[in-house]
Amino acid sequence: MNLGLTMRWGYSALQFNGTSYAHFPSGLLNNMKSFTFEATILSTTPTGTILCNASMGTGVYFNFSISGGYLYFEALNNNQKWFHVTSTTLLSLQEWHQVAVTFDSDRQLITLYQDGVEAGSTAVQGVPYQAIPLHTYIGVGKTQTSTGYQKFFNGQMARVAIWKSARSVFEIVEDALAIIPPPARTTDLVLWTDFTEMPTEDRSGNAIEISYSTPPPSYVYSIPSVGVTENGAIDCGVYPDYNFGGYHPYTIEGWFNPSSTADLAVLVAFEKDLHWQYYIQYDKLNQRIIAKRNSDGQAIYSKEQITEGRFYHFAVSYNGDTKMMSLYVNGNLQTAEYFPGGVANVAQGRLILGGIGFTGYFQNVRLWKDCLDQAELRQWILNDVITDPRLVANFDFTTTPPMDSMGHTVQLLGDAANMMATTTLELADRKAQLGVSMPINSSYFNNVEEKPLPPPTVIKPADQPKLSSAVHKEKTFTDLVSFWKLDEEKQNAFREVFEKAYAQAEGMLSENENLRKVYTRTDENGRTKIIYHDLRGDTLIYDRPIGEVTDCTIWWITFTFAISVKFLGIFLPLPVFSPYNQIPTKIFNLVVRNAKLLAKITALVGTTISVASGLGIITEMHREKVLWPILKFLIVSAGWFGLTAILTRAFTLATGIVAAEILAKFIVWAAQLTKLSLEYNGNCGKLAEKAAQG
């Protein structure tokens, strides 16, 4: 069974409707001195059970739930005494959250976490439980003296994990965003169920069988999109680069999920005063796509039947040399016809997506000033573009608000809005081939060679305190206090965390010589190679012919890579991609094209970079909509909600309540940036001197 649901961005999850649940044998939960329960959830009601184990006559051994909108955990200790803890932070509904509860037997402490931040804790006496009878339930609770069920969960769950240890907050964040389970050598992992894949299995290595209620939960597959109603559309604005007049080649392609209240609805239209240049329609009556060129009525039609409620990739291309226009559905050629006439320029033409009764979804639409062949179209169906000289527009409707990486303004008209396009699947369809949630394949990013832009020249290096000196340490603390706007009370609480984190960072840097080097460069066999060293290991990021670019340009490529990709690597493992793809070069080009961002970065080059100033750059990347494309280009399958969560985790640091383990990694990251920064003169000294003279 192939449901045609392999999207660029999307996720599946287990849907609980208030009467269904899952359960598994509890044998491996026996005699856990410490533990961690984790879940990634979207709740639609303020009350519901996440994990529960109970046995009639002996009572509830543990219950991890949402109660009145707050996380709640209760359990019995080995002396049959109750203890419980409630979070201090309200859990918002209809949004994804990562929740966890830990018990640290050494500290005798129960702690709740919500979205990577501690949300409540309490000291306890004794061990919470020793023997766990029967089954543990996911999505439903049980009372102490009844066989009936209560507090059914309503909403979605994407992942549930159980450990025989108290995970740190940093480890909990990593677990939520992990693409695959931890390696088999992780002996304290008890259960790892990922409902973003079908069929769902325990992937901890323990092969715990997961069973379901009757009737069972269902799977829901969700695609972040812009939904368009009959009273709405997407206005992509008036820009001259949308105009492909005469015999100029072009390609228009993207993902859409169609339905309509009219026989003929608009998918894409570029027109002014009812004169249009290219026009793509959804033909509801005949279940097909129609593509037109010019206002003369000549059209081509898709042959594959279009079923409403499913996502399809469409593409229309025009070859100015052969005068052939082609129409593709899901990368398959439908028809190609000879269109001999050129088209008139439509000055001040407006690009509109949706209209005349279209009521479906758009996930992305791209315009190219080239006729892409079938191989390229298939390549970009499931992948995204970093930069490409042929790309005119790259509209991304998975973000809120929608954005175009090429800088065009996008406006949602009428009832058009960001929403999730969902498809519900019965549990009996568990073996449906949904494909990988986000199959970004970085090897695709190498098809168009891209030269790096000229490096910036206006740099004014300054003397700075030596790393790990008392002056540097205090400056780091002061900068963080200022960045997070901590009052005196919070400063006092933060000082203890900071001292521990700074000591940990110094230890990491002193124990690992590679971290202190940041990167290793070799010039051998006609190739320049750059190997980047970080806390997760070594990554080959650059492999190009010797002398292709200057040392200064290589420095800038390395620096922008460190300040963006290696920041993201603090939170989750990133894929090892081929240096031939030029991703670091393309990220450099993406960054230095942005004047505001470049000004902030050049102000830091040649200085000691603190955690606060580094996070300031990340904040600016976020504001200038540069960080989101970099995120997408680098992550393989964290799931859509996981992608957006990375930024959330980063900016929860703004509370100033941060685990020392996380802060230590940020200090190491900032120290590596400093090492690169202070090496600027050695690589770009002539440029700096020239700028000073100018």
Side-chain angles (χ1 to χ4, degrees):
M1 180 179 180
N2 191 333
L3 301 177
L5 292 173
T6 306
M7 300 293 100
R8 296 183 321 121
W9 303 101
Y11 66 89
S12 61
L14 202 59
Q15 176 74 53
F16 295 85
N17 58 9
T19 61
S20 57
Y21 57 89
H23 57 93
F24 58 90
S26 301
L28 289 177
L29 275 64
N30 289 332
N31 301 314
M32 294 198 301
K33 294 181 179 179
S34 296
F35 65 81
T36 299
F37 299 153
E38 302 172 328
T40 306
I41 64 172
L42 181 152
S43 181
T44 58
T45 60
T47 297
T49 301
I50 302 167
L51 280 171
C52 174
N53 186 284
S55 177
M56 185 175 176
T58 56
V60 178
Y61 281 81
F62 64 83
N63 190 317
F64 185 29
S65 61
I66 307 169
S67 180
Y70 293 89
L71 285 180
Y72 178 75
F73 182 78
E74 62 179 351
L76 287 172
N77 69 7
N78 54 347
N79 295 320
Q80 297 292 298
K81 294 184 180 295
W82 285 98
F83 60 85
H84 60 86
V85 59
T86 302
S87 73
T88 57
T89 306
L90 190 67
L91 192 81
S92 58
L93 303 181
Q94 303 287 356
E95 292 182 345
W96 282 102
H97 296 282
Q98 177 213 6
V99 297
V101 58
T102 67
F103 172 65
D104 187 329
S105 60
D106 292 334
R107 301 169 62 198
Q108 289 286 285
L109 189 69
I110 292 280
T111 307
L112 291 173
Y113 295 96
Q114 180 174 317
D115 295 328
V117 176
E118 184 177 323
S121 64
T122 187
V124 298
Q125 295 291 323
V127 178
Y129 46 81
Q130 289 292 319
I132 307 298
L134 304 178
H135 281 224
T136 295
Y137 295 87
I138 302 174
V140 72
K142 296 185 70 175
T143 61
Q144 183 177 359
T145 58
S146 170
T147 58
Y149 299 109
Q150 65 174 8
K151 293 185 178 180
F152 283 87
F153 183 81
N154 288 268
Q156 299 175 29
M157 289 195 193
R159 178 172 291 170
V160 174
I162 298 176
W163 301 78
K164 291 182 180 179
S165 60
R167 305 282 280 173
S168 70
V169 64
F170 184 76
E171 290 171 326
I172 289 170
V173 170
E174 286 199 321
D175 292 344
L177 301 177
I179 297 165
I180 59 175
R185 64 177 181 271
T186 307
T187 57
D188 59 345
L189 179 61
V190 175
L191 177 78
W192 183 286
T193 60
D194 193 333
F195 299 116
T196 64
E197 294 185 353
M198 297 172 66
T200 296
E201 298 174 345
D202 168 32
R203 301 172 65 197
S204 68
N206 296 317
I208 296 176
E209 183 179 357
I210 302 168
S211 303
Y212 299 91
S213 59
T214 303
S218 57
Y219 279 93
V220 60
Y221 197 86
S222 301
I223 308 295
S225 313
V226 165
V228 176
T229 69
E230 58 186 79
N231 299 315
I234 304 172
D235 182 357
C236 300
V238 178
Y239 294 94
D241 48 356
Y242 296 159
N243 189 352
F244 303 117
Y247 294 100
H248 283 114
Y250 61 82
T251 301
I252 304 157
E253 47 97 8
W255 281 97
F256 81 113
N257 181 329
S259 61
S260 177
T261 58
D263 289 341
L264 289 173
V266 171
L267 287 181
V268 180
F270 179 68
E271 60 86 30
K272 184 180 185 331
D273 300 331
L274 300 181
H275 293 285
W276 42 265
Q277 189 183 89
Y278 43 90
Y279 199 62
I280 305 173
Q281 295 173 290
Y282 165 58
D283 181 352
K284 181 182 181 72
L285 187 62
N286 296 294
Q287 296 179 286
R288 63 185 181 180
I289 299 171
I290 303 173
K292 301 177 181 178
R293 175 174 163 81
N294 220 341
S295 303
D296 55 13
Q298 186 178 357
I300 53 178
Y301 308 88
S302 65
K303 297 176 182 178
E304 182 173 333
Q305 188 178 65
I306 303 297
T307 302
E308 292 191 350
R310 284 177 49 178
F311 270 93
Y312 293 87
H313 183 270
F314 72 91
V316 175
S317 64
Y318 180 75
N319 188 317
D321 296 327
T322 63
K323 312 298 189 294
M324 296 293 292
M325 189 162 79
S326 304
L327 172 61
Y328 301 82
V329 173
N330 291 341
N332 300 316
L333 179 63
Q334 303 294 298
T335 185
E337 290 189 13
Y338 183 57
F339 280 68
V343 296
N345 286 306
V346 181
Q348 299 299 306
R350 183 175 296 276
L351 180 62
I352 296 289
L353 308 180
I356 313 180
F358 185 82
T359 56
Y361 302 89
F362 288 96
Q363 195 192 33
N364 79 308
V365 172
R366 289 186 289 238
L367 275 63
W368 306 74
K369 55 183 178 184
D370 194 9
C371 178
L372 302 186
D373 60 25
Q374 187 174 28
E376 284 193 293
L377 284 172
R378 288 180 172 177
Q379 167 184 305
W380 295 119
I381 284 178
L382 295 175
N383 294 278
D384 214 339
V385 189
I386 296 182
T387 55
D388 190 303
R390 303 169 298 170
L391 192 64
V392 171
N394 185 10
F395 300 109
D396 186 345
F397 302 118
T398 68
T399 66
T400 305
M403 63 171 287
D404 169 44
S405 64
M406 306 300 289
H408 303 104
T409 301
V410 183
Q411 184 178 1
L412 302 184
L413 304 178
D415 295 335
N418 284 92
M419 59 184 67
M420 304 300 292
T422 60
T423 300
T424 301
L425 312 173
E426 298 302 319
L427 202 61
D429 298 329
R430 288 174 65 211
K431 293 185 179 180
Q433 298 301 309
L434 291 182
V436 181
S437 297
M438 193 187 71
I440 294 296
N441 186 337
S442 297
S443 66
Y444 288 146
F445 297 142
N446 188 41
N447 289 314
V448 177
E449 286 286 323
E450 185 165 347
K451 293 182 179 180
L453 295 172
T457 59
V458 184
I459 306 295
K460 298 178 180 179
D463 293 331
Q464 296 295 319
K466 184 179 179 181
L467 280 174
S468 298
S469 65
V471 175
H472 177 266
K473 179 179 177 180
E474 196 57 33
K475 183 178 187 301
T476 303
F477 179 81
T478 304
D479 286 351
L480 288 171
V481 166
S482 175
F483 183 78
W484 289 326
K485 298 180 173 60
L486 302 182
D487 58 29
E488 186 173 350
E489 182 178 349
K490 288 183 178 179
Q491 286 183 44
N492 294 333
F494 176 62
R495 172 62 83 169
E496 181 179 351
V497 173
F498 173 79
E499 292 287 346
K500 180 180 178 182
Y502 201 89
Q504 288 181 0
E506 287 184 311
M508 294 176 191
L509 289 167
S510 63
E511 293 167 6
N512 189 335
E513 182 183 356
N514 282 342
L515 291 180
R516 301 196 303 275
K517 290 194 302 185
V518 186
Y519 69 85
T520 297
R521 172 176 173 166
T522 61
D523 294 279
E524 297 174 348
N525 302 319
R527 309 288 294 186
T528 295
K529 296 183 179 181
I530 302 293
I531 297 175
Y532 206 101
H533 310 295
D534 68 10
L535 292 165
R536 296 185 186 277
D538 296 341
T539 305
L540 178 63
I541 70 166
Y542 185 88
D543 187 342
R544 305 294 296 172
I546 291 176
E548 183 179 68
V549 297
T550 66
D551 288 352
C552 185
T553 300
I554 291 176
W555 182 90
W556 272 101
I557 291 171
T558 304
F559 188 74
T560 53
F561 183 85
I563 209 167
S564 57
V565 175
K566 291 308 173 182
F567 162 79
L568 301 172
I570 292 174
F571 291 93
L572 80 169
L574 298 175
V576 177
F577 50 82
S578 168
Y580 301 102
N581 302 337
Q582 297 182 284
I583 288 184
T585 297
K586 293 176 180 180
I587 291 174
F588 162 68
N589 286 348
L590 193 68
V591 167
V592 299
R593 282 194 183 105
N594 187 295
K596 289 184 179 179
L597 187 55
L598 184 59
K600 277 193 168 289
I601 291 176
T602 54
L604 291 183
V605 173
T607 69
T608 297
I609 298 175
S610 69
V611 178
S613 58
L615 286 174
I617 295 294
I618 297 299
T619 303
E620 192 67 27
M621 285 184 174
H622 183 48
R623 288 173 181 162
E624 293 298 306
K625 300 180 180 179
V626 171
L627 198 56
W628 176 257
I630 294 173
L631 268 171
K632 291 197 300 181
F633 307 146
L634 296 171
I635 300 170
V636 173
S637 188
W640 172 77
F641 57 89
L643 290 173
T644 56
I646 295 171
L647 283 183
T648 304
R649 304 301 181 268
F651 293 112
T652 54
L653 291 175
T655 62
I657 306 171
V658 54
E661 290 80 3
I662 297 179
L663 184 55
K665 294 175 189 290
F666 272 91
I667 292 171
V668 171
W669 170 67
Q672 289 194 312
L673 290 176
T674 293
K675 180 70 162 53
L676 293 178
S677 170
L678 299 181
E679 290 174 353
Y680 173 83
N681 271 337
N683 294 285
C684 303
K686 292 182 179 179
L687 280 175
E689 182 182 344
K690 182 178 179 181
Q693 291 175 351

